[in-house]
Amino acid sequence: QVQLVESGGGLVQAGGSLRLSCAASGRTFSTYAMGWFRQAPGKARGLVAAINWSGGSTHYSNSVKGRFTISRDNAKNTVFLQMNSLKPDDTAIYYCAADLGGTWSEVDYWGQGIQVTVSS
């Protein structure tokens, strides 16, 4: 069992930065691929960024590539999402997720979500 708790969200002006953190419980954190999803009002939840178990491979959606950076610290059971050059379109609830297989076809664990609001 893995429990995920997000922190670091909030309100920021366009062009600003935020850093999301996701603290995971459980001794098996380092075996999971980790990802960040987001869901804006009226839209489907979608994968924003993902990182494999070792941190050696990352993936980004086209909408955030070059602005967001995902990283992880397996010693601290934590995954991060550094978000720079934020835009109003980045406003959403952001969810941390864990997937043992790393394909993201079926997420094993979800965090509760955290609000990110970017004002224009």
Side-chain angles (χ1 to χ4, degrees):
Q1 189 80 355
V2 175
Q3 290 186 322
L4 306 173
V5 179
E6 301 98 335
S7 62
L11 174 65
V12 65
Q13 288 189 330
S17 298
L18 281 176
R19 189 192 197 202
L20 302 183
S21 299
C22 173
S25 65
R27 294 177 292 176
T28 60
F29 171 79
S30 62
T31 64
Y32 284 83
M34 299 298 297
W36 289 94
F37 287 71
R38 70 184 181 187
Q39 186 168 21
K43 296 187 177 180
R45 189 177 300 188
L47 181 64
V48 172
I51 189 166
N52 75 334
W53 67 274
S54 69
S57 177
T58 57
H59 165 82
Y60 299 94
S61 68
N62 287 335
S63 61
V64 307
K65 198 171 295 182
R67 300 187 298 121
F68 290 12
T69 302
I70 189 170
S71 61
R72 67 188 297 161
D73 184 339
N74 285 343
K76 296 183 178 180
N77 281 14
T78 305
V79 63
F80 306 97
L81 185 67
Q82 178 66 44
M83 306 185 293
N84 299 328
S85 302
L86 283 161
K87 306 174 182 180
D89 284 349
D90 295 317
T91 296
I93 298 174
Y94 283 71
Y95 296 89
C96 179
D99 178 19
L100 188 61
T103 63
W104 302 105
S105 58
E106 287 188 16
V107 172
D108 293 302
Y109 300 102
W110 291 101
Q112 81 284 359
I114 192 163
Q115 180 70 46
V116 170
T117 302
V118 184
S119 63
S120 57

